[in-house]
């Protein structure tokens, strides 16, 4: 059974109110991931108990090319502007966008990176992203179900926007480990997550705070901001012998 939240978000958007969103991410069938058969397990609170698998996201795109209205939502537009403004540097050598979906934000981020890699799990979504970013020769896309799969290379910018709450805590720890092995010295790690109620394994606060806690040995919080709808956290990787500030 699919999470019904996206449909309710579309209703809010169409009525002119605030919209709630979730970024598309390739979530793998890592240990503990949901299977594609039968109803997904839920906790007593109605939360999914395990990482959402790729079939969930394929199902969301089966009938709509942009089910979360990345290209048209006022919420998304405001969040994109805030995310770009929060980047500590004007330009990066190598960026990674985890969960690029149809490439709307990718297209806005590409002028800030010498090279940019976008990841997603749905082939048709990546086709749409490639078409949208056809004028961005510095952008490439990969089909990757994280945290089970991860691109080669190291990055000085990693963006994880409305993604980590699709993971259970075990897979969130695996994502942190992937990032740990992929960041260059003094790289920036940007987390953006919606704060409303979902059926996902983690809330926005749980996902962000869990990532920050897991990354304490290699990244410190550089800046944080919060609106009524989402939180934005910027971390910077530190040298192994530098202690993070509590």
């Amino acid at each position: 059974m699919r999470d019904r939240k996206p449909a309710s978000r579309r209703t809010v958007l169409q009525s002119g109110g605030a919209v709630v969103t979730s970024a598309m991410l390739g979530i793998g069938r890592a240990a503990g991931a949901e299977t594609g058969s039968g109803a997904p397990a839920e906790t007593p609170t109605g939360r999914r108990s395990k990482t959402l698998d790729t079939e969930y996201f394929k199902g969301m795109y089966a009938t709509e090319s942009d089910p979360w209205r990345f290209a048209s939502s006022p919420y998304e537009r405001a969040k994109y502007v805030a995310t770009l403004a929060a980047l500590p540097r004007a330009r990066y050598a190598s960026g990674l966008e985890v969960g690029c979906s149809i490439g709307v934000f990718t297209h806005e981020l590409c002028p800030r990176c010498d090279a940019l890699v976008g990841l997603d799990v749905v082939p048709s979504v990546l086709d749409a992203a490639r078409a949208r970013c056809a004028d961005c020769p510095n952008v490439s896309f990969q089909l990757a179900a994280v945290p089970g799969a991860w691109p080669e290379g190291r990055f000085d910018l990693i963006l994880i926007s409305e993604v980590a709450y699709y993971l259970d805590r075990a897979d969130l720890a695996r994502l942190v480990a992937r990032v740990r092995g992929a960041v260059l010295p003094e790289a920036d790690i940007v987390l953006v997550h919606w704060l409303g109620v979902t059926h996902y394994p983690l809330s926005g606060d749980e996902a962000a705070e869990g990532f920050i806690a897991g990354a304490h040995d290699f990244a410190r919080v550089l800046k944080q901001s919060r609106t009524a709808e989402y939180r934005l956290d910027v971390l910077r990787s530190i040298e192994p012998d530098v202690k993070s500030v509590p």
Side-chain angles (χ1 to χ4, degrees):
M1 180 177 66
R2 295 183 198 167
D3 191 325
R4 296 183 181 275
K5 284 294 178 179
S8 63
R9 294 170 199 173
R10 289 197 296 272
T11 301
V12 173
L13 173 61
Q14 290 163 357
S15 65
V19 67
V20 184
T21 185
S22 306
M24 291 298 93
L25 163 70
I27 303 291
R29 295 176 185 266
E34 292 181 5
T35 64
S37 61
E42 294 185 354
T43 66
T45 62
R47 288 268 193 90
R48 307 295 179 89
S49 62
K50 301 295 183 182
T51 294
L52 302 185
D53 74 358
T54 60
E55 296 306 311
Y56 172 87
F57 299 100
K58 289 179 180 178
M60 292 309 304
Y61 283 102
T63 57
E64 292 190 62
S65 61
D66 187 12
W68 277 279
R69 302 295 190 258
F70 293 121
S72 59
S73 159
Y75 166 86
E76 291 293 336
R77 173 53 45 195
K79 188 188 68 176
Y80 297 157
V81 170
T83 302
L84 290 172
L87 297 181
R89 299 185 177 110
R91 193 166 182 85
Y92 294 88
S94 55
L96 175 66
E97 183 185 6
V98 180
C100 63
S101 185
I102 58 175
V104 178
F105 186 71
T106 316
H107 193 268
E108 299 197 14
L109 183 60
C110 69
R112 303 283 293 270
C113 301
D114 293 338
L116 177 61
V117 178
L119 305 181
D120 208 283
V121 72
V122 182
S124 62
V125 165
L126 289 177
D127 289 342
R130 291 186 183 98
R132 185 180 297 275
C133 297
D135 60 339
C136 302
N138 57 323
V139 177
S140 62
F141 296 95
Q142 296 183 28
L143 188 69
V146 305
W150 192 260
E152 295 182 357
R154 300 180 72 193
F155 306 91
D156 59 355
L157 173 65
I158 297 181
L159 175 71
I160 302 172
S161 180
E162 305 213 45
V163 155
Y165 48 30
Y166 293 137
L167 303 174
D168 59 29
R169 292 189 182 277
D171 277 342
L172 179 63
R174 295 183 182 96
L175 175 64
V176 172
R178 289 291 197 182
V179 172
R180 179 187 288 108
V183 289
L184 290 164
E186 298 193 344
D188 292 329
I189 306 161
V190 181
L191 313 174
V192 190
H193 285 91
W194 181 62
L195 297 173
V197 177
T198 74
H199 294 306
Y200 307 139
L202 301 174
S203 69
D205 280 327
E206 288 169 342
E209 294 299 333
F211 188 101
I212 291 168
H216 76 279
D217 62 330
F218 72 93
R220 62 181 175 85
V221 174
L222 196 62
K223 62 172 76 172
Q224 295 176 301
S225 62
R226 190 181 187 95
T227 73
E229 296 173 307
Y230 65 89
R231 63 180 287 168
L232 196 158
D233 303 88
V234 180
L235 288 68
R236 177 157 292 174
S237 66
I238 56 178
E239 296 295 339
D241 58 341
V242 177
K243 302 297 183 182
S244 59
V245 179

